[in-house]
């Protein structure tokens, strides 16, 4: 409660243009903003270096101050979440504006790396395997694809997936287990095995 | 086929699709609404069906929410070094680089006295458009009164009225004698 009140007071002072309060705000949330930018850059495989991360960091705070964006926050408790979202959007927009998306070469290297881990003994046949899996995933309902993305791409725990998808944890676990079991069966039918 | 291998194969396919999130569309959640949603998820609160449906169906919002939740939950556990001192110092100088006070005062002044400006405009119009003299004058009076009521000038009016009443009462008393 005290922490929320304190943040409410801090936000109000920043909105009113208090320089000292702004300094406290930057100190308090700088690590979180930087972390949000770095995770976004890393997950999206963006070719952004350390200096550019600092540029994005500056841009985030500059934007918040100049447009007085803190006014739009309805609940002081959500300021951390809001900052993470704003920072990650800024990172993505920065990369897009500079044409810094994943290069086809880098993309190939990443998928090849995962490919090698998944298929240690195969060579040309692994392309067919990849296509087969893609086909099988594409026919899954959207909800189930989202669950698999949360589990495999974002490394969410089942409890977290249940929160995002608004469903019971057991349902999530059942769906994941069923999809993997079905995929295993279908791949075995098509002649893929260890 | 082992479970680990199945996981890797699935991950490979999903990574290829999830790495490039699309841009936000018109119906997407604002940053503030998204923050409220993320807070609800992290605190285990119940979320409306409409929001959940949108998050599931909209690729951009789904990726934004998942990415934010992932960053927040991993933040406490990370051993990431903080932002460079120089970067923090520069961010702190924003109020000096972009002073907000004058702009705020200007905007506040305009908003506060909007009815005065409208009343003045109607008053001027009453002299220009002779055919509608009374109408513009009445409009000017209404907006002028509205301005005095809104800006705390009503206090001044009440004070003036009190003084006038008091003076009237005094005059009446003295005239008795």
């Amino acid at each position: 409660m005290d922490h929320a009140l304190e943040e409410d007071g801090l936000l109000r002072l920043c909105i009113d243009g208090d320089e000292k309060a702004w300094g406290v705000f930057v100190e308090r949330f700088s690590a979180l903003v930087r972390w949000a930018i770095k995770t976004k850059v890393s997950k999206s495989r963006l070719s952004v270096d350390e200096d550019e991360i600092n540029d994005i960091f500056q841009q985030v705070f500059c934007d918040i101050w100049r447009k007085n964006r803190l006014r739009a926050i309805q609940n002081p408790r959500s300021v951390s979440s809001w900052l993470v979202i704003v920072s990650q959007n800024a990172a993505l927009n920065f990369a897009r504006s500079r044409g810094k998306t994943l290069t086809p070469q880098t993309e190939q290297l990443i998928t090849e790396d995962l490919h090698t881990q998944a298929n240690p003994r195969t060579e040309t046949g692994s392309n067919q395997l990849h296509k087969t899996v893609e086909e099988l995933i594409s026919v899954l309902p959207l909800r189930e694809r989202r669950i698999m993305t949360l589990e495999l791409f974002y490394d969410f725990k089942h409890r977290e997936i249940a929160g995002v998808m608004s469903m019971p944890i057991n349902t999530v676990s059942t769906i994941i287990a069923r999809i993997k079991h079905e995929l295993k069966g279908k791949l075995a039918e098509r002649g893929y095995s260890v | 086929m082992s479970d680990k291998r199945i996981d890797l194969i699935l991950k490979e396919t999903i990574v290829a699709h999830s790495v490039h999130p699309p841009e936000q569309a018109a119906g997407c959640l604002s940053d503030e609404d998204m923050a409220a949603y993320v807070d609800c998820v992290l605190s285990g609160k119940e979320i409306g069906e409409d929001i959940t449906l949108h998050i599931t169906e909209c690729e951009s919002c789904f990726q934004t929410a998942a990415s934010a939740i992932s960053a927040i939950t991993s933040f406490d556990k990370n051993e990431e070094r903080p932002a460079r001192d120089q970067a923090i110092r520069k961010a702190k100088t924003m109020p000096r680089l972009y002073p907000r006070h004058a702009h705020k005062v200007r905007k506040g002044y305009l908003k506060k006295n909007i009815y005065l400006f409208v009343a003045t405009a109607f008053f001027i119009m009453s002299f220009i458009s002779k055919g509608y003299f009374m109408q513009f004058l009445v409009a000017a009076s209404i907006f002028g009164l509205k301005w005095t009521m809104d800006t705390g000038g009503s206090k001044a009016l009440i004070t003036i009225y009190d003084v006038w009443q008091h003076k009237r009462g005094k005059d009446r008393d003295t005239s008795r004698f």
Side-chain angles (χ1 to χ4, degrees):
Chain A
M1 182 71 175
D2 288 339
H3 188 64
L5 280 173
E6 200 190 300
E7 274 188 356
D8 188 27
L10 180 65
L11 287 183
R12 287 195 187 285
L13 287 169
C14 290
I15 290 165
D16 290 342
D18 189 294
E19 197 177 325
K20 258 187 183 169
W22 176 252
V24 171
F25 179 82
V26 169
E27 285 272 5
R28 191 177 291 185
F29 293 107
S30 59
L32 178 65
V33 166
R34 187 181 152 79
W35 176 247
I37 294 166
K38 279 205 90 171
T39 49
K40 191 63 178 179
V41 160
S42 151
K43 263 285 184 252
S44 301
R45 313 286 201 266
L46 302 171
S47 52
V48 173
D49 61 32
E50 199 60 36
D51 285 337
E52 284 166 329
I53 287 174
N54 282 321
D55 286 344
I56 299 167
F57 177 89
Q58 293 298 330
Q59 211 171 303
V60 167
F61 282 109
C62 181
D63 193 52
I64 291 171
W65 173 261
R66 286 188 79 177
K67 295 176 187 173
N68 207 355
R69 291 191 65 182
L70 294 174
R71 275 183 305 186
I73 298 175
Q74 294 142 11
N75 182 359
R77 285 177 194 274
S78 64
V79 69
S80 298
S81 305
W82 181 82
L83 276 170
V84 166
I85 289 159
V86 164
S87 306
Q88 293 194 326
N89 284 339
L92 216 52
N93 292 335
F94 179 91
R96 279 185 186 131
S97 67
R98 309 273 174 115
K100 284 181 176 288
T101 52
L102 186 63
T103 60
Q105 216 172 354
T106 322
E107 186 165 2
Q108 199 183 348
L109 284 169
I110 288 164
T111 51
E112 267 176 17
D113 182 47
L114 283 168
H115 215 48
T116 310
Q117 288 176 58
N119 309 285
R121 292 183 293 174
T122 59
E123 289 175 10
T124 55
S126 59
N127 282 334
Q128 193 55 45
L129 171 64
H130 179 73
K131 276 184 187 154
T132 307
V133 171
E134 208 166 317
E135 261 174 45
L136 294 171
I137 288 176
S138 64
V139 298
L140 288 174
L142 181 62
R143 196 181 70 157
E144 292 177 4
R145 267 185 278 142
R146 294 291 190 228
I147 290 171
M148 296 312 290
T149 304
L150 291 172
E151 206 221 10
L152 295 168
F153 186 66
Y154 288 103
D155 301 319
F156 273 32
K157 294 188 175 53
H158 290 193
R159 180 179 49 82
E160 289 164 347
I161 297 171
V164 173
M165 302 304 295
S166 286
M167 48 173 65
I169 301 172
N170 292 340
T171 309
V172 169
S173 307
T174 307
I175 289 173
I176 291 170
R178 178 175 51 78
I179 290 170
K180 288 181 182 176
H181 180 75
E182 278 178 9
L183 182 68
K184 213 169 167 176
K186 283 176 180 170
L187 286 174
E189 271 174 31
R190 296 187 194 199
Y192 294 102
S193 59
V194 175
Chain B
M1 206 175 262
S2 69
D3 286 346
K4 197 179 173 187
R5 197 170 163 210
I6 292 281
D7 272 2
L8 283 167
I9 293 167
L10 278 169
K11 189 167 186 169
E12 182 190 14
T13 314
I14 283 164
V15 162
H17 287 287
S18 303
V19 161
H20 294 296
E23 294 199 34
Q24 270 188 321
C28 285
L29 295 178
S30 65
D31 291 344
E32 294 73 37
D33 289 340
M34 184 60 77
Y37 167 78
V38 165
D39 272 351
C40 281
V41 169
L42 290 171
S43 57
K45 284 184 190 160
E46 212 175 294
I47 299 162
E49 267 182 46
D50 291 346
I51 302 275
T52 306
L53 190 65
H54 178 81
I55 296 285
T56 307
E57 292 183 349
C58 174
E59 185 69 34
S60 173
C61 287
F62 173 75
Q63 299 287 355
T64 302
S67 186
I69 293 167
S70 173
I72 292 166
T73 50
S74 61
F75 177 63
D76 290 331
K77 300 166 205 160
N78 92 87
E79 288 163 13
E80 175 70 22
R81 56 186 166 82
R84 284 184 200 162
D85 286 341
Q86 193 191 19
I88 295 174
R89 266 201 305 272
K90 215 171 163 186
K92 282 181 179 179
T93 61
M94 292 302 151
R96 262 173 269 150
L97 288 171
Y98 306 104
R100 217 193 275 154
H101 183 68
H103 177 68
K104 182 190 164 189
V105 165
R106 210 179 314 131
K107 244 193 169 176
Y109 180 80
L110 278 170
K111 201 180 172 183
K112 213 175 165 187
N113 296 295
I114 186 87
Y115 291 120
L116 177 63
F117 300 135
V118 171
T120 311
F122 275 124
F123 185 68
I124 294 167
M125 286 298 293
S126 67
F127 290 102
I128 295 169
S129 171
K130 289 186 179 132
Y132 296 97
F133 173 75
M134 280 311 297
Q135 288 92 323
F136 279 124
L137 202 61
V138 166
S141 312
I142 292 168
F143 280 104
L145 195 62
K146 175 79 179 155
W147 171 74
T148 35
M149 299 301 274
D150 276 359
T151 55
S154 52
K155 263 193 184 168
L157 272 179
I158 291 163
T159 312
I160 290 166
Y161 178 73
D162 274 346
V163 168
W164 179 67
Q165 283 283 68
H166 182 70
K167 200 182 170 199
R168 224 175 132 202
K170 243 184 163 179
D171 286 345
R172 218 181 281 139
D173 285 342
T174 53
S175 69
R176 228 182 277 152
F177 301 105

